[in-house]
Structure formats: C-alpha cells, structure tokens
Amino acid sequence: MRVLLKLELDCTPDAAWRALHSPAVLREVVAPWLDFGSLEAGGLPTAWPEGRHRLQPRAFGRFPVGEEVIDLGYPGGLPDGVRMLRDSGGAISGPFALFDRWDHRMAVSALPGGRTLYRDRLIAHAGALDAVAWYPTWAFWQWRGRQLRRLAPTWAFDPPGTADASGAADASGRADAASAAHPAAAPNPAGTPVSPPARKGRPA
C-alpha cells in the first residue's frame, strides 16, 4: 500500500527538520490514538540521531501493544534544497507487526515567506491483509497531517548552533552596534531622549 501527504507548514524548513527528529513532536502528532515510550536505558532523547531506536507503542496512551523499532537514515541523491528523513523500521510484535515492510519517508523544502513544503510517503505491505489495513492506515495518516499543520507554528524555536539562531544573533548584533553608535538617541529610563549637555561660551 502507498499513502501520501503533501502539506504547506507555517514554519521554517529548519524548524520542520528539527521537529521530524523530535520524540516529543511524534507523541503530539499521534495523540490521542497512540503514544510511544522508550525501551532503551536512556529513555526518549531530545532528538533522535541516525540509527535504530526501540519503542513501545501504547494504544490511547495507556495500553501496551507490542514493540516497534524506528530506524532512521538519510537518503541521498535529492534535489538542491530538499532534506529527507527515512524510517525503515517497523513493528517487531503486536498488531502492527502485520506489516512486513515499512518504508516511511519525510521531506522538507522551502516555500516563499519562510514556510515549508512537507511531503510524506509511506510504502507498507501487510500481505493478504493489505486491503483491510489500507483504510485505517490512510485515515491515521490524514490525522497526522492535520496535527502537523496545527503544531507547525509552535516549532519556531531556534536552539544555539542552528542556522535560524545564527541569523537572529547576527541581526541582534547589528542592532546593538547601531544603538551604540548613536547614544544620544537612546531614551532614558523615563522614556525621554537624552541630549548632550550644551557647551558654555561667552555671551554674545
């Protein structure tokens, strides 16, 4: 089966890219139907690195439903300006293990006005149960899309070291330099501009 999404998100591509690596965002996107807990010693990280990560899905946030692996990688050969994250993991046990193939790809690229084009493609295979599994999977993917659009404006946080944060810091530094170059225009605490004292000279 194949399920596709194509969305315009109200956030920058950098913010969307960070969100795709965030366990917290994953949990928000699938709620309230699912939740995920870590089966690894360190628990859920702030951001997932490349590689395999063991999870326990919980139906309705409460009932354990087997074990799942997220296996993250970065496909190559993409057009300029496109970033893609691939999850080639899948369920090891529980009802979701009916899928014997799982290839989930998520791509982001820039749109005018600082927005993001998000494209999502799931290719999954459930053998003879494909026809039965397709509609619930499609409906759940539409929910994901709705949640992604709703949450995207909240992702505009720029941690140190990101391109967005560097740009904001440069702009702030230029503003500070301009303010220092014109101290006479700076307001005093009462809000009244401070002027240099008048020079005393001989009366005319």
Side-chain angles (χ1 to χ4, degrees):
M1 74 176 71
R2 175 180 298 198
V3 183
L4 304 174
L5 289 176
K6 185 176 181 181
L7 310 172
E8 295 186 7
L9 302 180
D10 289 325
C11 66
T12 66
D14 281 345
W17 186 243
R18 291 192 299 271
L20 293 183
H21 292 78
S22 168
V25 170
L26 169 65
R27 297 177 69 191
E28 288 183 300
V29 166
V30 300
W33 315 112
L34 282 176
D35 194 8
F36 288 97
S38 176
L39 291 174
E40 299 177 343
L44 292 172
T46 302
W48 273 310
E50 186 174 10
R52 292 171 63 86
H53 309 279
R54 293 173 56 237
L55 300 174
Q56 182 175 75
R58 293 192 292 265
F60 304 105
R62 299 181 58 188
F63 308 106
V65 285
E67 181 177 338
E68 187 169 324
V69 169
I70 288 180
D71 191 357
L72 299 180
Y74 303 104
L78 302 173
D80 290 344
V82 177
R83 287 175 278 185
M84 181 179 288
L85 182 66
R86 179 190 183 198
D87 172 21
S88 57
I92 296 173
S93 61
F96 300 118
L98 66 89
F99 293 104
D100 57 20
R101 181 188 178 194
W102 188 268
D103 184 354
H104 183 202
R105 302 185 183 219
M106 298 153 278
V108 298
S109 55
L111 289 173
R115 303 175 75 235
T116 296
L117 176 62
Y118 173 82
R119 286 168 287 183
D120 187 306
R121 187 194 74 181
L122 172 67
I123 296 179
H125 184 255
L129 296 176
D130 251 8
V132 175
W134 181 85
Y135 182 76
T137 305
W138 177 87
F140 183 67
W141 240 243
Q142 306 317 301
W143 175 259
R144 286 183 66 253
R146 177 181 173 183
Q147 292 287 81
L148 288 167
R149 281 192 297 262
R150 182 180 68 83
L151 293 167
T154 71
W155 299 338
F157 167 67
D158 306 320
T162 64
D164 288 354
S166 299
D170 289 345
S172 177
R174 289 193 296 270
D176 290 345
S179 177
H182 302 284
N188 66 14
T192 304
V194 177
S195 299
R199 295 180 59 188
K200 295 183 180 180
R202 296 175 61 184

